[in-house]
Amino acid sequence: QVQLVESGGGLVQPGGSLRLSCAASGSILSINVMGWYRQVPGKQRELVAVITSGGITNYADSVKGRFTISRDNAKNTVYLQMSSLKPEDTAVYYCNVDLIIVGTYLRENYWGQGTQVTVSS
């Protein structure tokens, strides 16, 4: 019913920048919260940043001032601009979408497939 397609991960040197994108498609009536999470092997998935339909944002303390989340409601797409990247930002990044399904009006939550971000010299 709903597909999330992530793009933009890769290898970058410390201090560099990357931009992640996540596009949602399918039987979507409306999208509430969109967000980015990350996970490293052996650790729990953690919140990176979220943004509401009204543009209110929330960031993990570890990325404040370096990462910026934004969304294009017309394209059902969320972005994560990452700057001043550090080796500890290395992780698989997942987008997450909280939305309402067309027809059923059910509220559902979806995860993207994940994209690897590696920060290394």
Side-chain angles (χ1 to χ4, degrees), residues 28-75:
I28 300 171
L29 179 62
S30 64
I31 299 178
N32 303 318
V33 180
M34 306 182 85
W36 290 95
Y37 294 73
R38 66 187 182 187
Q39 189 171 23
V40 298
K43 292 191 175 182
Q44 284 190 328
R45 192 171 296 185
E46 65 175 10
L47 170 73
V48 176
V50 292
I51 183 168
T52 69
S53 57
I56 297 173
T57 59
N58 187 40
Y59 295 91
D61 288 343
S62 59
V63 307
K64 282 181 181 177
R66 300 188 298 120
F67 291 10
T68 301
I69 189 170
S70 61
R71 62 191 280 174
D72 185 331
N73 291 328
K75 296 181 179 180

